[in-house]
Amino acid sequence: KAMCSGKLQTGLLVVGYFVYLLVGAAVFQALERTAEKREKMAAAEMKEAFLQSFRQLTVVEMEQFMKNLTEAIQNGVYPVGNDSQFEESNWDFSNSFFFAGTVVSTIGYGTLHPRTVGGQIFCVFFALFGIPLNIVFLHRVGKMLSLLCKKLGKFLYEKGMRKKKIKFLTLLFFLATGILVFLCLPSVFFQITEGWSYSEGIYFAFITLSTIGFGDYVIGKQSGRNYFSYYRVLVAIWILFGLAWIALLFNL
């Protein structure tokens, strides 16, 4: 009975957690997408005006252009390429879900952030309740993985191995497995998808899962590369379970 109750609680927690992220993603998308379109149109007009009159610009006008260009880039608008680039949104559902995941996990790359008043206020309340929910979720997933540790330890104990040796081997097994699954293999994936070197992939994976999140490397932002649908959603899920693995290591 207790086991069934525990499984039910875990199931409800997982469902509730992902529903929370999905709802958050939908709200961020609704609040930010229109404002982003306006910013992209303004950036396109600024670029067009510059190309038509750059030879006649004064020093003051050139400095103003550079200031406007810097602000556009800081807001996630990159006025390069043709008009099709402006049709792609930083706040489609996939990107919004990825942003919601980085908020509750406290990574906060800083490259994508809400610009509207409504989006900023919602982000405060979303993080206020989402961060504790994320901690509970990671704790529960870590607890489930701990059961695997116990089963492995029990199996080794039945084989006549000493307890100290069992603890060491269990920690070593989950450390090595986690490094392979959450650092080494994803880095190959990032190398292929993003065009980074393998060392850059390792660097990004570690900086992300340690929640340092400098923002110098962010997935899905390379111009001229075709990313498959829900690529960032998949990476967000990798982040969540990678954080759970790190929580397990602390428990061990």
Side-chain angles (χ1 to χ4, degrees), residues 162-179:
R162 290 182 300 170
K163 285 187 177 181
K164 283 186 178 180
K165 194 174 182 180
I166 289 171
K167 285 182 179 180
F168 173 74
L169 289 175
T170 302
L171 178 60
L172 186 63
F173 172 76
F174 278 92
L175 179 63
T177 304
I179 288 173

Side-chain angles (χ1 to χ4, degrees), residues 81-252:
N82 52 32
D83 294 338
S84 63
Q85 188 271 338
F86 292 96
E87 295 173 4
E88 299 173 2
S89 175
N90 289 321
W91 291 101
D92 59 19
F93 189 78
S94 178
N95 287 329
S96 299
F97 184 87
F98 181 77
F99 173 75
T102 60
V103 169
V104 298
S105 61
T106 70
I107 294 171
Y109 290 116
T111 52
L112 185 63
H113 51 276
R115 298 292 301 166
T116 64
V117 174
Q120 289 171 348
I121 292 173
F122 176 74
C123 187
V124 170
F125 286 99
F126 181 75
L128 190 64
F129 294 100
I131 292 171
L133 177 62
N134 183 65
I135 293 170
V136 173
F137 173 78
L138 294 180
H139 176 73
R140 182 55 66 98
V141 174
K143 198 173 179 181
M144 289 170 62
L145 292 174
S146 295
L147 294 176
L148 295 175
C149 292
K150 287 181 180 179
K151 287 182 179 180
L152 178 62
K154 188 178 178 182
F155 172 78
L156 294 175
Y157 185 73
E158 288 172 354
K159 294 292 181 180
M161 201 172 287
R162 290 182 300 170
K163 285 187 177 181
K164 283 186 178 180
K165 194 174 182 180
I166 289 171
K167 285 182 179 180
F168 173 74
L169 289 175
T170 302
L171 178 60
L172 186 63
F173 172 76
F174 278 92
L175 179 63
T177 304
I179 288 173
L180 178 66
V181 172
F182 293 109
L183 290 178
C184 296
L185 293 179
S187 298
V188 175
F189 177 69
F190 294 135
Q191 184 181 13
I192 296 168
T193 310
E194 297 290 342
W196 297 337
S197 66
Y198 186 72
S199 61
E200 287 174 321
I202 288 280
Y203 170 78
F204 167 77
F206 177 79
I207 292 299
T208 294
L209 295 184
S210 61
T211 70
I212 295 171
F214 288 128
D216 50 349
Y217 287 84
V218 182
I219 54 100
K221 289 293 181 182
Q222 300 290 326
S223 60
R225 299 192 76 87
N226 294 320
Y227 299 101
F228 60 87
S229 299
Y230 299 105
Y231 165 56
R232 286 165 77 92
V233 171
L234 185 64
V235 175
I237 293 171
W238 161 74
I239 290 171
L240 296 175
F241 283 96
L243 292 175
W245 164 65
I246 289 174
L248 170 67
L249 289 182
F250 281 126
N251 287 336
L252 289 176

